[in-house]
Amino acid sequence: MESHIQSYLRFAASSQRDTAQIGPFLATFSHSSDNPFLNYAIPDNNATPSTADVAALISAYEARGLQPRLEYVERLAPLVESVLSVAGFTVEGRFPIMVCTPGAEKDLPIPENIELVLPTSDSELRDTVTVQHEAYGALPPNFEDVERLRESIAMGGIAVLARDATTGEPAGAGQLTVPGEMTTEIAGIGVRPSFRRRGIAGALTARLLREAFAAGVSVAFLTPGHDEEARIYSRAGFVPVGEILHISRSPV
């Protein structure tokens, strides 16, 4: 399962970003954002990079004004981290990979006076991205952020917006990345602070799972950032299957 997920990560990165093979690394670069979570490299399985390979990888990112960074399943490339560490990389975190397959999903309730919609209009797309940025403490979204979501949906990705059923005020959002190999990642689930602890994150997760499996996906996965998130996703039917490493090099 870990190998399958890492294969999907390579597919997803290649479908929406510029890429370059640098030694045993697939380097990916966003078309329109310097967000480090949209610009990172993935090593080949069982990669044994040289110091020259790592130096070339660093140069490729720094030449674009980007932070050198990797996200990958550590167990599939166990010799990579030590070489990166020598080059000044530090671990951001090791996060669990959780998966859900058809039949394992749970039907979590939608909180009172909250509705879940698939965003289609300009205002709904903007609300979706705005909520995600606010929930994660990011800067307000720009035109490119909204267009990136629109492009993802056009390619088969799915987003869900939670909002107040009376006022229409956006409350939370989440999305599925563009499916490939019958696999998708649930990402960007966020709830605005004033709407938290009402079950909205769980309801969004359950709805995204239903949408994924209705679209023919057989594996949905995600990487919770902390234990509370993991508990929410467990209630929706996710189970842990491995761990992903985030590691980066601070700018000189």
Side-chain angles (χ1 to χ4, degrees):
M1 181 63 76
E2 289 174 310
S3 181
H4 178 79
I5 288 171
Q6 185 136 296
S7 175
Y8 172 77
L9 290 174
R10 293 189 184 97
F11 158 81
S14 300
S15 66
Q16 291 188 288
R17 304 177 206 154
D18 295 329
T19 62
Q21 189 69 36
I22 302 173
F25 300 107
L26 176 68
T28 76
F29 310 101
S30 170
H31 304 302
S32 58
S33 175
D34 61 1
N35 186 325
F37 295 101
L38 298 174
N39 297 275
Y40 60 84
I42 305 170
D44 296 341
N45 290 2
N46 300 311
T48 55
S50 66
T51 55
D53 291 329
V54 175
L57 184 70
I58 293 170
S59 295
Y61 280 88
E62 291 185 342
R64 292 170 170 82
L66 300 170
Q67 180 182 26
R69 190 171 179 278
L70 296 91
E71 295 185 9
Y72 66 99
V73 178
E74 184 179 7
R75 195 173 69 84
L76 298 178
L79 301 180
V80 171
E81 184 184 349
S82 60
V83 183
L84 295 175
S85 297
V86 171
F89 284 76
T90 57
V91 173
E92 297 175 359
R94 290 179 169 86
F95 304 99
I97 301 171
M98 303 182 73
V99 303
C100 186
T101 55
E105 72 274 19
K106 308 298 182 184
D107 188 18
L108 300 183
I110 300 174
E112 184 178 358
N113 204 42
I114 292 293
E115 61 179 2
L116 305 181
V117 298
L118 302 183
T120 55
S121 68
D122 290 345
S123 62
E124 289 171 343
L125 292 171
R126 186 172 59 253
D127 284 347
T128 299
V129 178
T130 299
V131 165
Q132 291 174 312
H133 279 231
E134 181 179 337
Y136 286 95
L139 294 173
N142 55 31
F143 174 79
E144 288 78 13
D145 296 317
V146 177
E147 288 306 298
R148 189 160 47 249
L149 175 60
R150 192 192 309 275
E151 178 185 358
S152 175
I153 292 173
M155 295 173 64
I158 297 171
V160 176
L161 172 67
R163 63 190 181 192
D164 186 293
T166 302
T167 66
E169 181 182 2
Q175 65 189 90
L176 300 172
T177 57
V178 177
E181 303 175 0
M182 300 179 69
T183 302
T184 188
E185 180 179 10
I186 292 182
I189 293 180
V191 178
R192 299 175 69 194
S194 59
F195 287 91
R196 289 175 183 167
R197 301 195 179 280
R198 293 173 55 183
I200 294 174
L204 283 166
T205 305
R207 174 64 181 275
L208 285 165
L209 279 174
R210 289 198 298 273
E211 295 290 340
F213 297 149
V217 166
S218 60
V219 175
F221 74 96
L222 45 70
T223 54
H226 49 74
D227 290 344
E228 184 178 353
E229 286 184 0
R231 286 192 290 270
I232 293 171
Y233 301 140
S234 294
R235 291 197 292 271
F238 283 87
V239 295
V241 297
E243 192 174 71
I244 191 165
L245 172 67
H246 291 189
I247 186 169
S248 60
R249 185 175 188 268
S250 298
V252 176

